[in-house]
């Protein structure tokens, strides 16, 4: 057969098959490249090509990716990947293709994976979420309002007793979830086993006091063996959730946690720490939209997706990401988006207006920084969420909830930095 060349990976008349994974990239070609040459190299390097022209016996071109669309004005290209390129249920291998060597190629100055259209054969080889947005009803009976969560602050340094006290004050103040932060795992000042046991005892007391279901997002992040042990411990203690730092621990490990969580019937809360290493620079890396897609396929039930530019962190199309997380994906369950990062009660009405009520709302400093403490801060956040969900003016709600009035006096509706 003739040699395989870069131009063999470019066909702008090609119509991708339904079974193919189709990826959208934005690229800036190197100085000596035009868009077509760079697009061909992206398709080549991410499938079965290489820098040298090859002489290969037998038909391997049916495994070639095809650059099938180019928009010169936006710099966006579309690449279709045959299903046979991928190993079923192996996210590490999939990402090595579509977000691997191509991110470092000299043929492009910058390249960003913007979006993926996941076909049925590949999608259904992954489990997807066990619960998804149904946690709002199945665990919390939250009705039409967002579920609420908080992280004890400071995020590390509290003793187990301090951590538990903060959690109990938040739960009895009306919040649904207590969450570990991303860098709290099993340190000497707050050991995992002690924190788990004592927090769940406080949860039980809070449930008895409030008559509401409460739960704890305990951070099990570690090497895979220890994570699975911690998932087992959480299940044995009657916890409904675990939390995983999904980017730092790696998708293969997340997949193993998903298997173990299904065995126990517990949900996964995904913290996205380190995502900005891939998505913050707008013209390079991997978009948060794609990170969220990967998380859904691997089976998380919640994931942080930002605050629609209302909080302290950079955001990227939070509403669009959330819409995708709710969308049909060949029968896989959806995912509950969590809004977090610099939120306080005064921002909740605008947050719900932008994102709707099928979300989780998490505030750390916006609860514990309340002038009257965590319990009052929790009451203020819960009142703000209930007002926004019912369409009640937050100022009117504050007339009946003094803790909310105090929060509005302190923070107003300003976005923190």
């Amino acid at each position: 057969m003739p040699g395989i060349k870069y131009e063999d990976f470019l066909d702008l008349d090609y119509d991708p098959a339904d079974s193919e994974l189709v990826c959208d990239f934005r690229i800036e070609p190197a100085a000596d490249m035009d868009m077509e040459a760079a697009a061909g190299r992206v398709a080549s390097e991410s499938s079965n090509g290489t820098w040298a022209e090859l002489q290969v016996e037998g038909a391997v071109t049916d495994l070639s990716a095809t650059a099938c669309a180019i928009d010169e004005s936006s710099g966006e290209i579309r690449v279709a990947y045959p299903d046979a390129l991928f190993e079923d249920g192996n996210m590490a291998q999939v990402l090595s293709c579509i977000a691997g060597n191509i991110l470092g190629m000299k043929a492009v100055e910058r390249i960003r994976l913007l979006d993926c259209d996941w076909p049925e054969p590949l999608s259904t080889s992954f489990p997807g979420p066990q619960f998804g947005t149904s946690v709002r009803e199945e665990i919390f009976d939250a009705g039409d309002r967002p579920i609420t969560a908080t992280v004890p602050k400071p995020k590390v340094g509290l003793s187990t007793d301090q951590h538990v006290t903060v959690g109990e004050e938040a739960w009895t103040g009306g919040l649904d979830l207590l969450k570990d932060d991303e860098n709290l795992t099993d340190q000497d000042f707050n050991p995992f086993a002690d924190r788990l046991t004592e927090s769940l005892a406080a949860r039980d007391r809070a449930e008895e006091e409030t008559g509401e279901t409460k739960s704890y997002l305990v951070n099990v992040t570690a090497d895979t063996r220890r994570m699975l042990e911690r998932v087992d411990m959480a299940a044995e203690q009657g916890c409904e959730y675990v939390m995983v730092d999904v980017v730092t621990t790696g998708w293969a490990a997340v997949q193993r946690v998903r298997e173990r969580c299904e065995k126990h019937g517990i949900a996964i809360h995904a913290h996205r720490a380190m995502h900005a290493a891939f998505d913050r620079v707008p013209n390079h890396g991997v978009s948060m939209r794609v990170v969220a897609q990967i998380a859904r396929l691997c089976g998380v039930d919640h994931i942080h997706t930002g605050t629609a530019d209302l909080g302290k962190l950079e955001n990227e199309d939070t509403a669009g990401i959330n819409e995708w997380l709710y969308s049909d994906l060949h029968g896989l369950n959806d995912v509950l988006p969590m809004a977090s990062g610099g939120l306080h009660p005064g921002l909740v009405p605008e947050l719900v207006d932008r994102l709707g009520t099928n979300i989780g709302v998490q505030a750390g400093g916006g609860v514990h920084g309340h002038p009257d403490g965590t319990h009052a801060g929790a009451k203020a956040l819960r009142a703000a969420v209930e007002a926004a969900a019912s369409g009640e003016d937050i100022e009117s709600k504050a007339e009946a909830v003094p803790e909310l009035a105090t929060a509005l006096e302190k923070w107003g509706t300003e976005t923190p930095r």
Side-chain angles (χ1 to χ4, degrees):
M1 63 178 294
I4 302 175
K5 304 177 291 296
Y6 286 125
E7 52 263 36
D8 296 326
F9 295 86
L10 179 70
D11 182 354
L12 300 183
D13 294 322
Y14 183 73
D15 185 18
D18 290 343
S19 61
E20 292 186 302
L21 173 60
V22 180
C23 297
D24 293 330
F25 298 90
R26 183 184 300 118
I27 65 173
E28 296 176 21
D32 59 345
M33 293 275 175
D34 60 23
M35 285 289 291
E36 290 192 357
R41 282 163 172 76
V42 171
S44 166
E45 181 64 36
S46 54
S47 61
N48 61 352
T50 189
W51 65 271
E53 183 176 328
L54 301 179
Q55 302 295 327
V56 182
E57 296 297 328
V60 298
T61 53
D62 58 349
L63 294 180
S64 299
T66 303
C68 55
I70 295 176
D71 185 331
E72 295 274 358
S73 61
S74 67
E76 293 183 14
I77 67 171
R78 177 163 291 179
V79 180
Y81 297 87
D83 181 62
L85 281 175
F86 305 113
E87 180 182 355
D88 284 352
N90 186 341
M91 187 56 73
Q93 186 270 337
V94 173
L95 291 176
S96 292
C97 293
I98 65 172
N101 285 353
I102 55 174
L103 295 184
M105 292 194 315
K106 290 181 178 179
V108 291
E109 291 292 335
R110 298 287 185 270
I111 177 170
R112 185 174 181 84
L113 176 56
L114 299 171
D115 198 3
C116 297
D117 185 1
W118 298 88
E120 183 173 11
L122 185 58
S123 297
T124 55
S125 73
F126 293 93
Q130 187 180 178
F131 300 99
T133 61
S134 71
V135 297
R136 291 174 61 235
E137 295 81 28
E138 291 190 25
I139 296 178
F140 295 109
D141 192 25
D144 294 330
R145 68 167 174 85
I147 61 172
T148 55
T150 193
V151 178
K153 299 291 183 177
K155 61 173 69 176
V156 290
L158 296 178
S159 69
T160 301
D161 287 346
Q162 290 172 316
H163 187 279
V164 170
T165 297
V166 171
E168 191 162 3
E169 290 178 353
W171 276 321
T172 57
L175 302 191
D176 303 300
L177 285 161
L178 178 69
K179 188 184 84 66
D180 291 344
D181 223 335
E182 75 280 0
N183 52 348
L184 179 64
T185 54
D186 186 26
Q187 291 99 319
D188 288 343
F189 58 82
N190 195 349
F192 177 88
D194 294 345
R195 186 172 74 254
L196 173 67
T197 301
E198 295 181 30
S199 293
L200 292 178
R203 175 205 63 181
D204 293 344
R205 294 192 296 269
E207 288 184 338
E208 183 175 355
E209 178 177 331
T210 64
E212 296 180 337
T213 300
K214 309 293 180 181
S215 195
Y216 178 30
L217 306 174
V218 60
N219 187 6
V220 299
T221 302
D223 62 84
T224 305
R225 176 188 58 79
R226 281 188 288 174
M227 279 203 296
L228 297 181
E229 291 173 353
R230 291 172 185 176
V231 170
D232 291 343
M233 290 172 63
E236 290 166 3
Q237 294 285 331
C239 196
E240 296 88 352
Y241 281 96
V242 295
M243 183 187 110
V244 180
D245 297 336
V246 291
V247 179
T248 57
T249 200
W251 298 110
V254 173
Q255 289 183 256
R256 299 291 75 76
V257 170
R258 169 64 174 81
E259 287 180 350
R260 188 63 62 90
C261 284
E262 183 167 10
K263 173 184 174 182
H264 295 302
I266 59 180
I268 300 172
H269 178 93
H271 195 295
R272 60 178 182 163
M274 199 181 172
H275 75 97
F278 303 97
D279 67 36
R280 180 166 181 169
V281 178
N283 60 355
H284 193 75
V286 178
S287 72
M288 183 58 212
R289 181 181 181 90
V290 173
V291 173
Q293 292 172 359
I294 296 162
R296 181 179 180 184
L297 289 161
C298 290
V300 310
D301 298 288
H302 306 171
I303 188 169
H304 297 243
T305 61
T307 60
D309 291 326
L310 290 172
K312 67 181 180 181
L313 303 176
E314 291 287 340
N315 288 285
E316 180 186 345
D317 187 25
T318 302
I321 294 168
N322 291 4
E323 183 178 359
W324 190 92
L325 290 174
Y326 302 138
S327 68
D328 177 65
L329 184 62
H330 310 293
L332 298 184
N333 282 336
D334 60 5
V335 177
L336 183 71
M338 295 294 293
S340 66
L343 291 178
H344 58 73
L347 296 174
V348 169
E350 182 63 23
L351 179 76
V352 170
D353 184 61
R354 295 184 187 185
L355 301 180
T357 59
N358 194 17
I359 59 173
V361 177
Q362 178 188 300
V367 168
H368 312 300
H370 191 284
D372 298 320
T374 293
H375 187 76
K379 285 187 172 183
L381 182 63
R382 174 69 178 265
V385 165
E386 289 180 343
S390 66
E392 183 180 357
D393 180 76
I394 194 171
E395 298 287 351
S396 297
K397 185 74 170 181
E399 293 177 6
V401 182
E403 295 86 356
L404 177 56
T406 299
L408 295 178
E409 182 179 353
K410 179 176 178 63
W411 291 305
T413 57
E414 295 298 315
T415 298
R417 292 181 62 86

